[in-house]
Amino acid sequence: AQSVTQLGSHVSVSEGALVLLRCNYSSSVPPYLFWYVQYPNQGLQLLLKYTTGATLVKGINGFEAEFKKSETSFHLTKPSAHMSDAAEYFCAVSPFYNTDKLIFGTGTRLQVFP
Amino acid sequence: EAQVTQNPRYLITVTGKKLTVTCSQNMNHEYMSWYRQDPGLGLRQIYYSMNVEVTDKGDVPEGYKVSRKEKRNFPLILESPSPNQTSLYFCASSLGVERNEKLFFGSGTQLSVL
C-alpha cells in the first residue's frame, strides 16, 4: 500500500535560515504529491501540489518542492524562514491506483526562532 | 466566503452516548471527507463521499457512520463513542480529489470521550 514518510517530527530554524522539510513516498509509480500547512487552531491549507510536468513546484508563501523520482522524494524548502512560517506541515500522496484517496504523513512541526 | 463549517468546535461526552458532528460546505463540492488527527499519526481518513448518496470507507472507519443526503452536508455519527475515539476531527471538501483538486478543511472538532 502507498505510504508517505516525513523525516523529523520537529524542525527548528532561525529566522532567515533555510527551511527543509523532508518527505519520501513508497511507490514505483509516481503518485500525486501535496504539501499542506496547519497553523495553530486551524484546518489544513494547501501549500503546493505536484501532478505531472515540471518537477519543481512553487507554492504559496515562498515555499517550493522538488519531485525527485529517483529518490522517491518531495522535500519542501523555503530559502529564508519567517516567524509566521511556524506551523505543522503535512506531506500527502494520492496513489495512482486510487486517486480518490489522500494519504497523509505524520507531520513535521516547524519552529522559527528570532 | 467559501468555507467548510464544522460544529461543534469542542465536545466532551461520555462512553456510549451517541453524538453527531456536523459538516457543511458552501462551494458546491462533490467530494467530502472526514479525518481524525492524532499525535504522531498524522491525519487518517475515516470516510469519504464522492457525491450524494455515495460514501466509502477510509482507513479507520470502525465505530463511525456517515451520510450524504444533500450535497452540502456530510455529518459524522458516533453511535456509541469510546475513549479511543478521543481525537481532533476534520471535515474537508473539494471539487474532486480524483482530479487532484485541493481539499478545503474545516477548523476542526476536538472530541473527548470520557
Side-chain angles (χ1 to χ4, degrees), chain A residues 48-94:
Chain A
L48 49 80
K49 67 178 181 182
Y50 168 80
T51 53
T52 58
T55 57
L56 182 62
V57 182
K58 294 188 185 299
I60 62 172
N61 301 337
F63 284 92
E64 61 183 35
E66 186 170 12
F67 166 64
K68 291 188 176 179
K69 183 179 177 181
S70 61
E71 298 177 7
T72 61
S73 69
F74 191 56
H75 301 332
L76 182 70
T77 60
K78 182 173 181 178
S80 176
H82 192 272
M83 297 294 290
S84 60
D85 294 327
E88 188 151 22
Y89 292 79
F90 292 91
C91 183
V93 301
S94 181

Side-chain angles (χ1 to χ4, degrees), chain A residues 10-104:
Chain A
H10 290 83
V11 170
S12 297
V13 300
S14 299
E15 192 171 21
L18 171 71
V19 176
L20 171 60
L21 305 181
R22 300 177 186 274
C23 174
N24 289 87
Y25 63 90
S26 65
S27 174
S28 58
V29 179
Y32 301 127
L33 297 155
F34 305 80
W35 275 99
Y36 280 82
V37 60
Q38 183 181 29
Y39 297 105
N41 300 312
Q42 295 184 28
L44 282 72
Q45 303 171 36
L46 180 69
L47 267 180
L48 49 80
K49 67 178 181 182
Y50 168 80
T51 53
T52 58
T55 57
L56 182 62
V57 182
K58 294 188 185 299
I60 62 172
N61 301 337
F63 284 92
E64 61 183 35
E66 186 170 12
F67 166 64
K68 291 188 176 179
K69 183 179 177 181
S70 61
E71 298 177 7
T72 61
S73 69
F74 191 56
H75 301 332
L76 182 70
T77 60
K78 182 173 181 178
S80 176
H82 192 272
M83 297 294 290
S84 60
D85 294 327
E88 188 151 22
Y89 292 79
F90 292 91
C91 183
V93 301
S94 181
F96 73 94
Y97 56 81
N98 185 356
T99 52
D100 295 345
K101 293 184 68 64
L102 196 60
I103 300 168
F104 285 87

Side-chain angles (χ1 to χ4, degrees), chain B residues 25-95:
Chain B
Q25 51 91 5
N26 63 358
M27 295 168 279
N28 201 35
H29 283 169
E30 293 180 351
Y31 181 93
M32 297 186 76
S33 181
W34 277 103
Y35 296 87
R36 60 177 288 175
Q37 182 179 12
D38 301 288
L41 297 177
L43 275 79
R44 293 178 293 168
Q45 190 175 43
I46 303 171
Y47 270 94
Y48 64 97
S49 170
M50 300 296 290
N51 214 324
V52 175
E53 302 291 3
V54 180
T55 62
D56 210 344
K57 296 178 180 179
D59 298 313
V60 288
E62 294 78 20
Y64 304 95
K65 283 176 57 177
V66 292
S67 68
R68 188 90 182 272
K69 294 185 171 61
E70 305 164 281
K71 199 170 187 179
R72 63 183 292 125
N73 295 323
F74 191 46
L76 179 69
I77 303 156
L78 283 72
E79 295 270 3
S80 182
S82 62
N84 65 12
Q85 293 178 298
T86 292
S87 186
L88 179 59
Y89 292 85
F90 287 100
C91 180
S93 73
S94 87
L95 281 170

